[in-house]
Amino acid sequence: MPRNVTVTGVERTFGDDDIIVSKTNLKGHITYANDVFLKIADYKEKEVLGQPHSLIRHPHMPRCVFKLLWQTVEAGQEIFAYVINRTKHGDHYWVYAHVTPSRDTSGRIIGYHSNRRVPDRKILEDQIMPLYRELLREEASHGDRNAGMLAGEQMMMDLLAREGVAYDEYVATLGKPHLRASRDGQAPLPREQAI
Ligand SMILES: Cc1cc2nc3c(=O)[nH]c(=O)nc-3n(C[C@H](O)[C@H](O)[C@H](O)COP(=O)(O)O)c2cc1C
């Protein structure tokens, strides 16, 4: 996707009961998009099938978050992430995404799957937007794209070290600091309960 894409600054929203779904092959090319996806992103199905998922990448999204996403799902694990996406005409919408590997019956990873829901507005505005602005600033301060991404990644690792949590616990307990049991030495709650 070109880096200098148009963005309008206009935010789109979707319903609390809606789930934006897409599936990809191993390379991240879209193999399925549900109607909610197509409606909010302003695309026809034939325009998205076969396209790289970066089709809807918004330039305000830090590169290091996608690095973590890919590392995690390629390692066979699930990840939750806040993502800002871009519609066909440059509007944007925020989602809370749950991305998982899909496996065949022998356990081999054959693709990936993302379900997205409306994110908690307070968490977005108080924590994610400021964090992503910082990460973007850091990434942009390096001339070289890859160096920028590594610097962003380091900034995120430093934050997690300061908070004393791993990424998945950090995301799952945003806005719920009392659930960060690992800070006082207790066993953390299972993630399903923390969410
Ligand atoms: C299942 C799945 C869902 C994804 N969903 C999104 C998405 O909603 N928005 C997005 O920008 N990238 C998404 N990605 C990540 C993209 O593949 C890509 O890494 C990202 O857009 C950054 O693209 P770039 O490296 O070309 O800048 C998804 C990847 C997978 C495997």
Side-chain angles (χ1 to χ4, degrees):
M1 185 183 97
R3 293 299 119 192
N4 53 351
V5 291
T6 311
V7 289
T8 61
V10 175
E11 180 163 9
R12 298 268 188 99
T13 55
F14 56 105
D16 284 341
D17 293 333
D18 286 339
I19 307 182
I20 300 175
V21 183
S22 63
K23 298 182 192 180
T24 73
N25 63 13
L26 292 172
K27 291 185 168 165
H29 290 172
I30 298 171
T31 55
Y32 171 79
N34 74 347
D35 287 343
V36 187
F37 181 114
L38 297 171
K39 184 164 176 234
I40 192 158
D42 259 340
Y43 282 106
K44 301 257 181 286
E45 187 181 45
K46 64 176 189 292
E47 295 177 295
V48 304
L49 291 184
Q51 295 301 314
H53 219 307
S54 54
L55 178 72
I56 58 164
R57 190 197 198 298
H58 193 285
H60 292 173
M61 197 55 206
R63 198 172 290 283
C64 63
V65 175
F66 291 125
K67 178 165 188 254
L68 181 65
L69 182 154
W70 274 103
Q71 272 171 355
T72 307
V73 295
E74 284 182 336
Q77 287 155 10
E78 62 178 357
I79 185 166
F80 290 84
Y82 291 82
V83 179
I84 179 173
N85 277 326
R86 183 182 165 277
T87 72
K88 184 173 177 179
H89 305 294
D91 294 352
H92 65 269
Y93 56 99
W94 280 96
V95 300
Y96 185 50
H98 179 210
V99 189
T100 57
S102 307
R103 298 175 186 272
D104 66 13
T105 49
S106 66
R108 209 163 39 101
I109 298 175
I110 52 168
Y112 303 103
H113 186 140
S114 180
N115 282 339
R116 310 161 182 88
R117 283 194 173 275
V118 175
D120 181 298
R121 194 75 210 172
K122 188 162 167 50
I123 292 174
L124 251 195
E125 289 181 1
D126 292 356
Q127 318 218 33
I128 295 298
M129 288 177 177
L131 172 63
Y132 283 9
R133 269 197 295 272
E134 282 294 301
L135 291 171
L136 266 188
R137 200 177 0 248
E138 179 63 31
E139 290 184 354
S141 71
H142 296 258
D144 171 62
R145 234 195 235 183
N146 202 44
M149 179 169 64
L150 293 176
E153 186 181 31
Q154 188 58 51
M155 183 179 254
M156 198 152 72
M157 293 305 135
D158 292 346
L159 165 75
L160 296 176
R162 277 200 308 279
E163 300 274 335
V165 287
Y167 171 84
D168 57 353
E169 190 184 350
Y170 173 76
V171 168
T173 58
L174 276 170
K176 308 169 199 165
H178 55 287
L179 291 179
R180 291 207 183 144
S182 55
R183 300 192 92 185
D184 56 18
Q186 293 172 12
L189 285 174
R191 187 164 38 195
E192 297 72 26
Q193 276 174 258
I195 289 168

